[in-house]
Amino acid sequence: MLHILGAHARELERRTGTRLELTGFASRTPARWSELGLDATKCSADPMDLARHPNVDILIEVMGGVETARNVVLEALASGKDVVTANKALLAEKGDEIFKASAENGRMIGFEASVCGGLPIIHLLKRSLAAERIQRIVAIVNGTCNYILTHMIADRRPFDEVLKEAQSLGYAEADPTLDINGGDSAHKLALLSMLGWGVRLDHAAIPTAGIEALPLVEVAYAAELKMVIKLLACARMEDDGRLALSVGPALVPAGSVIGQVHGAVNAVLVDGDHVGPIVMSGAGAGQMPTANAVVADLLDIARLRAAETGDAAGPTGFPESSRGQATLVPREEQVAANYLRITAMDVPGILAEAAGALAERGISIAQVHQHGRGMGGSVPVVILTHEAKQGDLDQAVRAIDAMPKIKDKTVVMRVVEEVP
Ligand SMILES: NC(=O)c1ccc[n+]([C@@H]2O[C@H](COP(=O)([O-])OP(=O)(O)OC[C@H]3O[C@@H](n4cnc5c(N)ncnc54)[C@H](OP(=O)(O)O)[C@@H]3O)[C@@H](O)[C@H]2O)c1
């Protein structure tokens, strides 16, 4: 970011009509200050110094974490500064408080870098699609998981092995928990939903599953169905005004645009009533794509600040006063097609019994694939269901897993076929 601000200074001035100047810098490691060639008198170990600094107009928060970042951002807004942040965890947890403070103080907050780093998805939702009634969002918002899944699929290597490789190549954090358990994707889905529908919502209420327990065999069975597994963040506005949100591994057609997003890449599909499906894909993280998004927000704010107009669109593209609480569709009521892998003893009749458990709950079967005898004499049966309520499916799966002929817990994943 400092590189962009330095190397492109003249171009940035030409674009904004304003000269951007680095007033201060905070990091707890003084060695870093000299490493970056910064004037030590402008540096501090305490970011609060910048939040209160009389000559800072715009504070950029890229420190991560929630509590300290929250205090710094709120202090900056209260001190008349505008804020740019890349921190999705902060906004997913404390967004209501921070957006309210930005409105009350008449200050702006830009957070393009917080969702999908280099992809201008926030701009797309907040400005370009402002006239659109968004119907659904289907997104790959975690590059670490997409890298892992891509290599599980391409190389048929198990999760643990690919995760270690991703860590050694810098595609996964030393502690990847929030990426692989779906939590990071839920943070981003909460933010995308706020922007898409002008609502408040608790990210913790999003039904969320990760990829950490995904058996490698699912990758092969998905391939037989001409599908691939992706960690998808999905949002759909129902006709009754409720939002159906979910994060979890899902099967998508291998030939679809979403199915062909490979490696540490993000993709967001937005489907609206006039424009139809739009897919944006590219670098969702990484130093320079993220820095680009931060600087773009900085420029926007610098322009609006110079014109003394403020951002009438508000942080999310909806005035804070108009953002009501979202009504979410509980997981049990969400409707989806599903992939089931049932592991049964090699004895006759299990298919009929499993089909019976599904039929009893009104769940119809789209495809059945019975495989040869696996390890320990068990027989895997793969079933694709038609759309059904998730609660009915959960009940059917519980009934199937309780059958004496069943050897292992049934694996369940959503199937999302209607992607371009
Ligand atoms: N990396 C990406 O590709 C990416 C993409 C999109 C969004 N983001 C978001 O950007 C934020 C930062 O991520 P990152 O990967 O760049 O993290 P990082 O490498 O750990 O950098 C954080 C920086 O903030 C400083 N810092 C942290 N706590 C501080 C404190 N209490 N006081 C002063 N300085 C502090 C750290 O320096 P010291 O340790 O020296 O204090 C470090 O320079 C996160 O919110 C992340 O979600 C990152």
Side-chain angles (χ1 to χ4, degrees), residues 26-29 32 45-47 61-65 68 86-88 113-114 117 173 284-287 290:
S27 121
R28 295 158 302 185
T29 318
R32 189 101 183 98
D46 184 358
E61 184 279 305
V62 283
M63 62 196 281
T68 309
N87 194 335
K88 61 256 167 185
S114 67
E173 301 283 342
Q287 199 180 15
T290 306

Side-chain angles (χ1 to χ4, degrees), residues 114-379:
S114 67
V115 182
C116 301
L119 295 191
I121 184 64
I122 291 186
H123 191 278
L124 183 85
L125 286 168
K126 186 173 162 178
R127 311 234 187 242
S128 316
L129 296 182
E132 194 73 355
R133 196 172 287 170
I134 310 286
Q135 283 151 352
R136 63 180 182 140
I137 296 174
V138 176
I140 296 171
V141 286
N142 189 281
T144 300
C145 289
N146 206 52
Y147 177 92
I148 293 172
L149 290 170
T150 298
H151 287 274
M152 286 176 73
I153 293 165
D155 317 335
R156 295 287 197 269
R157 285 191 290 146
F159 173 83
D160 291 335
E161 195 182 311
V162 184
L163 171 61
K164 281 204 188 89
E165 176 188 271
Q167 285 172 314
S168 71
L169 294 172
Y171 292 124
E173 301 283 342
D175 177 3
T177 312
L178 207 54
D179 292 314
I180 63 177
N181 71 9
D184 172 77
S185 296
H187 285 156
K188 292 169 181 165
L189 184 63
L191 287 173
L192 291 176
S193 303
M194 288 180 202
L195 289 147
W197 291 285
V199 289
R200 302 171 198 281
L201 64 103
D202 177 6
H203 67 94
I206 300 175
T208 300
I211 62 165
E212 67 272 56
L214 183 70
L216 184 60
V217 70
E218 256 53 69
V219 163
Y221 291 154
E224 285 177 21
L225 299 165
K226 298 194 171 28
M227 297 218 181
V228 287
I229 301 170
K230 296 287 175 193
L231 182 69
L232 288 192
C234 300
R236 179 189 293 276
M237 176 52 76
E238 303 288 352
D239 294 341
D240 62 6
R242 293 186 304 164
L243 258 184
L245 304 180
S246 69
V247 169
L251 279 74
V252 295
S256 63
V257 177
I258 292 288
Q260 293 188 57
V261 174
H262 302 308
V265 169
N266 285 186
V268 184
L269 178 156
V270 183
D271 205 349
D273 55 351
H274 302 126
V275 182
I278 292 177
V279 183
M280 199 186 255
S281 92
Q287 199 180 15
M288 294 318 282
T290 306
N292 184 66
V294 168
V295 176
D297 272 348
L298 185 62
L299 297 185
D300 258 355
I301 290 178
R303 278 193 204 100
L304 293 165
R305 218 182 151 99
E308 294 182 351
T309 57
D311 181 2
T316 60
F318 292 82
E320 276 307 281
S321 54
S322 78
R323 281 202 312 131
Q325 192 67 30
T327 311
L328 302 188
V329 182
R331 188 192 125 81
E332 310 78 61
E333 285 181 40
Q334 292 192 18
V335 171
N338 275 279
Y339 162 103
L340 311 181
R341 175 170 59 85
I342 297 167
T343 307
M345 285 178 201
D346 187 10
V347 287
I350 185 59
L351 189 53
E353 286 179 34
L358 292 166
E360 257 175 49
R361 288 150 186 99
I363 302 166
S364 61
I365 292 175
Q367 290 186 44
V368 178
H369 295 251
Q370 189 146 11
H371 290 83
R373 190 178 299 176
M375 298 252 289
S378 62
V379 176

Side-chain angles (χ1 to χ4, degrees), residues 351-412:
L351 189 53
E353 286 179 34
L358 292 166
E360 257 175 49
R361 288 150 186 99
I363 302 166
S364 61
I365 292 175
Q367 290 186 44
V368 178
H369 295 251
Q370 189 146 11
H371 290 83
R373 190 178 299 176
M375 298 252 289
S378 62
V379 176
V381 181
V382 169
I383 295 178
L384 292 192
T385 72
H386 286 298
E387 285 198 333
K389 278 196 180 158
Q390 208 66 45
D392 293 338
L393 188 97
D394 291 346
Q395 271 187 22
V397 168
R398 274 197 296 276
I400 291 169
D401 284 353
M403 291 173 181
K405 291 172 189 164
I406 294 300
K407 287 193 79 166
D408 220 340
K409 211 167 148 10
T410 295
V411 174
V412 183

